[in-house]
Amino acid sequence: MTSPGLFLSFEGIDGAGKSTHITQLVAQLRERGRQVVHTREPGGTTLAESLRALVLHEPMDALTEALLVFAARRDHLQQVIEPALARGDVVISDRFTDATFAYQGAGRGFDTAILGQLEQWVQGGEHGIRQPDITVLFEVPPTVAAERLAAAREADRFEALPLAFFERVAAGYAARAVAAPERFVRINGNQAPEAVWTDLHTALTARGL
Ligand code: TYD
């Protein structure tokens, strides 16, 4: 789907380190005079943030989880993402639909054909399915990510899941990246933060940002 703006999503397992680099990128783009909308999923609107709190903290089955993240996404797209892209802004979202395929699909084992249908309903429009123009995937071994999380904070419902879950999620992300190489930028997150930033900067510059 074409629009004047640019849509970037950032993905990776919990503890991959994407948030720090998103903040740095947003600041750099703003310094260069770009209008940037920095947002996240699930979330980004009042309604979607309420749904996020439920998804992250209330026990539920995988279909309920999928319906809630897509409901949040629908509101987020309508209220924030589409208007920003129509204005010509850069939208940077901390996670988008690849997270649903990785967490609910690969991680929880939920039927990806149903996720594909929900994606079509929620992101479909007259010009096709809305997808990020660029998706940056931070890749770190699940053991490294788990060590970082344990040092950092109290776990939410996903972060408390066992290592095997994150191995499936990481494999799910990798499969998405292989299926859409033109959209994905894969970054080795298992390096010093400065080296990660350099790789990110080089990759995005190569893509014209
Ligand atoms: P995260 O993005 O890691 O935020 P924070 O850094 O504040 O913890 O947390 C969001 C969690 O939601 C993460 O564990 C992945 C999960 N999630 C899904 O399971 N499905 C989805 O579609 C999305 C967008 C996120």
Side-chain angles (χ1 to χ4, degrees), residues 100-129:
T100 314
F101 281 91
Y103 279 78
Q104 281 66 49
R108 297 270 254 150
F110 187 70
D111 189 341
T112 50
I114 296 178
L115 296 181
Q117 282 179 348
L118 291 169
E119 180 183 38
Q120 179 92 44
W121 281 353
V122 167
Q123 292 157 240
E126 36 182 304
H127 302 295
I129 296 187

